[in-house]
């Protein structure tokens, strides 16, 4: 499994937690920061999937 997949999942979860914490506390900056980190994690995870798929094809 590509390292980007595991790192992306980690960032996705961390960002989601940060986003919820921002919503609960009313901290818009934390909420936005969490959303950005969550989405960056999703992208990183997809990059890892693509790398894994490329390795399978060869």
């Amino acid at each position: 499994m590509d390292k980007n997949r595991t790192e992306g999942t980690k960032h996705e979860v961390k960002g989601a937690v940060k986003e919820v914490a921002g919503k609960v506390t009313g901290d818009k900056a934390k909420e936005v920061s969490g959303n950005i980190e969550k989405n960056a994690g999703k992208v990183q995870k997809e990059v890892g999937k693509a790398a894994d798929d490329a390795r399978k094809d060869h």
Side-chain angles (χ1 to χ4, degrees):
M1 181 182 293
D2 191 84
K3 184 178 179 181
N4 280 317
R5 287 179 87 167
T6 55
E7 288 297 312
T9 299
K10 183 173 76 172
H11 286 292
E12 192 176 349
V13 170
K14 184 178 168 188
V17 169
K18 193 185 293 186
E19 183 179 18
V20 169
K23 283 180 183 177
V24 169
T25 61
D27 185 345
K28 280 289 185 192
K30 184 177 271 188
E31 183 180 342
V32 170
S33 173
N35 190 324
I36 290 168
E37 186 170 359
K38 179 178 73 174
N39 289 322
K42 286 180 182 181
V43 170
Q44 187 176 13
K45 188 166 67 172
E46 289 302 315
V47 168
K49 280 184 186 178
D52 282 342
D53 290 344
R55 273 188 230 120
K56 280 185 207 174
D57 291 341
H58 288 104

